[in-house]
Amino acid sequence: MKTTLDEIVSLCKRRGFAFPGSDIYGGFANSYTYGPYGTALKRNLKDLWWKLHVEQLDNIVGIDGDIILHPRTWEASGHTATFNDLLVDNKDSKKRYRADHLIEDQTGIDVEGMTPAEVTAVMAEHEIKCPVSGSTNWTEVRHFNMMFQTEMAKTGDGAMAYLRPETAQAIFLEYKNIIDTMRVTLPFGVGQIGKAFRNEITPGNFLFRRLEFEQMEIEYFVREDAWEEAFAQWQGRIKRWCEIIGLSNERLHWAEHADEKLSHYSKRTVDVEYEFPFGKKELYGLAYRTDYDLKQHAEHSGKKLIYRDPHTNEVLVPHVIEPSFGVDRSVLALLCDAYAEETLPDGSTRTVMRLAPVVAPVKVAVFPLMKKDGLPEKAHEVVAELRALGVVEYDQSGAIGKRYRRHDEIGTPVCVTVDYDTLEDGTVTVRDRDTMAQERIALGALREHLAGKYFVTPSL
Ligand code: ATP
């Protein structure tokens, strides 16, 4: 049976992955708080991404830039002028919509690239209706800039600033510093993980479209004639990344942007789409940004943003390939992919999160069979022994079957139970989440057994 978004949302709340944000005040603008397990899952993803893409690849370095950058950044990047959505208000319901989404939902027509006046005409021609009031009584369609503005205490140039709508720009601003301080030669990349903010008109679908979210991005600098090769290489790496974190290949699709849908800076963009419960939607993006950003910042700042070949002294402006990974959409895709409801041979059902061990919030759960006779003490020794594998959770409350079910729902790959035999012969029961098969393993061999079976470090 197909998983619904409601099932995911409810499990997230029930099991501490994500709570509706500011809930005690009635909730706020599609905000969510990652609970303890969601936070662990997200951190595992980000740490793994950094390890695989920044630490373990040649010629990639990392930076950590500010959320509030010089406002001229966004003039140079083109965001002030063009980072707009098409907004329309219904005069009867007073509801606000993205005109392109309304039209696409009701007619299938794609209005990307059209002017607000043209979109207004399409709305009228196709009698687009307000989903709430049912009326066609609309304002004119107009542009709405999606950058969040914020006011600084200081006055003058830069008093009005923006929260960054993408992490990429800080990398371009530091291009010269990287070239001057690091021994990088083309091709090389600069990676960054951080928050980005977008004033989305209609946020929604849980963690999918948020006002604040996290991105993991790399700006990969290449010679112009090498961009196609680098683009293909990054497609391969993205594919491998999806496999490592455990997304089903058959739910992933590559979608090429048509020329008229390309962003103002891009000559080629391919999205990785994932089959979410609410449809096939963008998960990640891979864009060829040309030399647009470096040239724009060079022009606006008056600084030279160039590359000098150390062997030939040739001077050039590098071109850029940008793989962009959304953290929150990764978390949502992982939860949707991992979620399963199963009927067991005895007729009962269980919910299980088949998360890849590398991202699972809890790596191993350890249970004493009973809360007495020295079993808790022995179980605590096992916890200490297994800590090197990552988060190990001790749980002694309730029937053993209930404890297994709880960890099935959290996605814990393996549970270890300490029982009376453990005290006699030094073995424990190891229970696999997916097969529910149980085996007895000697305590002396336990850590190595689990490390080899579940926790082998992947590489790109
Ligand atoms: P969409 O068309 O869905 O709005 P986009 O094309 O604007 O997305 P990009 O500008 O390519 O998105 O951003 C790069 C990545 O950042 C996306 O692939 C996605 O994972 C993530 N992302 C973008 N906007 C949001 C958002 N509002 N909430 C959560 N993640 C987002």
Side-chain angles (χ1 to χ4, degrees):
M1 225 174 47
K2 213 164 168 273
T3 308
T4 65
L5 189 61
D6 284 348
E7 285 168 328
I8 303 292
V9 175
S10 130
L11 182 134
C12 281
K13 188 163 183 212
R14 188 168 76 241
R15 290 300 186 199
F17 280 91
F19 308 120
S22 309
D23 206 20
I24 61 167
Y25 288 108
F28 184 63
N30 250 82
S31 79
Y32 293 95
T33 301
Y34 286 96
Y37 292 132
T39 305
L41 174 61
K42 189 153 81 103
R43 179 147 296 284
N44 290 342
L45 256 176
K46 291 194 291 181
D47 288 350
L48 181 67
W49 186 90
W50 192 261
K51 186 178 266 166
L52 298 182
H53 291 90
V54 179
E55 291 175 4
Q56 291 185 359
L57 289 183
D58 289 335
N59 296 331
I60 310 257
V61 295
I63 66 160
D64 190 3
D66 274 351
I67 285 168
I68 301 178
L69 302 171
H70 196 292
R72 288 181 56 203
T73 305
W74 309 108
E75 280 167 35
S77 69
H79 283 81
T80 317
T82 61
F83 197 57
N84 297 318
D85 267 346
L86 293 162
L87 174 146
V88 69
D89 292 299
N90 186 270
K91 291 182 192 164
D92 298 319
S93 68
K94 310 280 184 242
K95 293 279 177 207
R96 177 166 283 185
Y97 300 94
R98 261 180 73 171
D100 54 334
H101 283 177
L102 274 181
I103 295 171
E104 179 147 12
D105 289 349
Q106 295 184 27
T107 67
I109 296 171
D110 185 351
V111 297
E112 186 102 19
M114 288 188 194
T115 63
E118 286 166 347
V119 178
T120 304
V122 174
M123 300 256 318
E125 186 190 339
H126 292 274
E127 297 182 355
I128 301 299
K129 291 186 184 54
C130 170
V132 174
S133 68
S135 88
T136 56
N137 190 12
W138 298 104
T139 61
E140 298 274 302
V141 175
R142 59 196 187 281
H143 273 145
F144 176 78
N145 193 285
M146 290 167 73
M147 284 195 293
F148 271 103
Q149 278 196 7
T150 187
E151 200 178 333
M152 313 282 281
K154 66 173 190 161
T155 56
D157 186 24
M160 194 55 97
Y162 300 100
L163 307 186
R164 63 181 179 200
E166 61 175 27
T167 56
Q169 293 303 324
I171 296 178
F172 296 121
L173 300 196
E174 302 313 325
Y175 170 81
K176 190 170 165 7
N177 283 330
I178 301 281
I179 290 272
D180 291 347
T181 54
M182 308 303 289
R183 303 225 157 104
V184 285
T185 53
L186 288 179
F188 71 90
V190 183
Q192 188 177 207
I193 299 180
K195 283 233 166 170
F197 300 79
R198 294 187 188 176
N199 209 347
E200 303 270 6
I201 296 165
T202 43
N205 286 327
F206 194 32
L207 305 173
F208 180 80
R209 188 174 300 286
R210 311 189 58 202
L211 304 182
E212 62 177 280
F213 54 96
E214 274 182 284
Q215 293 183 316
M216 310 183 281
E217 293 192 309
I218 288 171
E219 305 306 314
Y220 194 67
F221 298 94
V222 296
R223 285 175 175 274
E224 182 175 7
D225 61 8
W227 80 264
E228 277 167 306
E229 192 190 328
F231 199 96
Q233 185 182 38
W234 276 105
Q235 277 190 292
R237 285 179 180 158
I238 293 173
K239 188 160 184 273
R240 173 79 186 119
W241 163 258
C242 292
E243 191 178 284
I244 289 171
I245 62 173
L247 294 177
S248 310
N249 196 33
E250 62 275 15
R251 294 190 194 169
L252 291 163
H253 306 273
W254 292 94
E256 184 89 37
H257 280 213
D259 283 352
E260 65 276 13
K261 284 190 83 172
L262 289 173
S263 312
H264 59 277
Y265 52 74
S266 173
K267 269 216 180 125
R268 185 178 178 204
T269 297
V270 176
D271 289 341
V272 178
E273 295 184 337
Y274 178 79
E275 287 175 28
F276 288 99
F278 43 89
K280 202 165 66 168
K281 303 274 182 207
E282 173 174 342
L283 173 64
Y284 303 143
L286 178 64
Y288 169 38
R289 290 181 86 123
T290 68
D291 54 1
Y292 175 85
D293 301 272
L294 286 182
K295 280 203 166 144
Q296 284 290 107
H297 287 300
E299 195 185 313
H300 282 71
S301 67
K303 300 288 185 309
K304 277 198 178 127
L305 302 180
I306 52 166
Y307 177 80
R308 188 182 298 276
D309 188 294
H311 303 295
T312 64
N313 265 337
E314 179 199 356
V315 170
L316 58 101
V317 179
H319 280 232
V320 172
I321 302 295
E322 177 193 74
S324 179
F325 302 74
V327 177
D328 307 72
R329 287 188 192 178
S330 301
V331 169
L332 183 58
L334 284 177
L335 293 171
C336 295
D337 214 290
Y339 186 96
E341 275 176 28
E342 293 177 350
T343 307
L344 303 178
D346 67 1
S348 65
T349 57
R350 75 159 180 163
T351 302
V352 53
M353 277 283 182
R354 296 180 187 278
L355 290 168
V358 72
V359 294
V362 177
K363 305 300 179 196
V364 186
V366 178
F367 313 143
L369 184 66
M370 308 293 272
K371 276 189 257 183
K372 54 183 189 187
D373 303 331
L375 296 179
E377 290 77 5
K378 193 78 196 159
H380 280 298
E381 281 174 31
V382 176
V383 170
E385 162 72 12
L386 298 181
R387 274 258 142 80
L389 298 173
V391 175
V392 180
E393 210 174 86
Y394 173 88
D395 186 0
Q396 64 171 28
S397 44
I400 202 88
K402 283 242 168 72
R403 287 183 251 169
Y404 282 142
R405 292 302 155 79
R406 176 183 146 82
H407 280 278
D408 285 345
E409 287 202 5
I410 294 164
T412 309
V414 62
C415 295
V416 172
T417 302
V418 168
D419 56 20
Y420 290 101
D421 286 345
T422 312
L423 304 179
E424 300 279 314
D425 64 6
T427 63
V428 286
T429 300
V430 173
R431 184 256 195 190
D432 181 274
R433 175 196 68 200
D434 295 341
T435 62
M436 296 190 288
Q438 303 191 1
E439 53 184 341
R440 294 293 297 188
I441 304 284
L443 274 174
L446 183 63
R447 191 164 80 191
E448 212 168 308
H449 171 79
L450 297 180
K453 189 165 174 190
Y454 297 97
F455 305 109
V456 180
T457 315
S459 61
L460 272 186

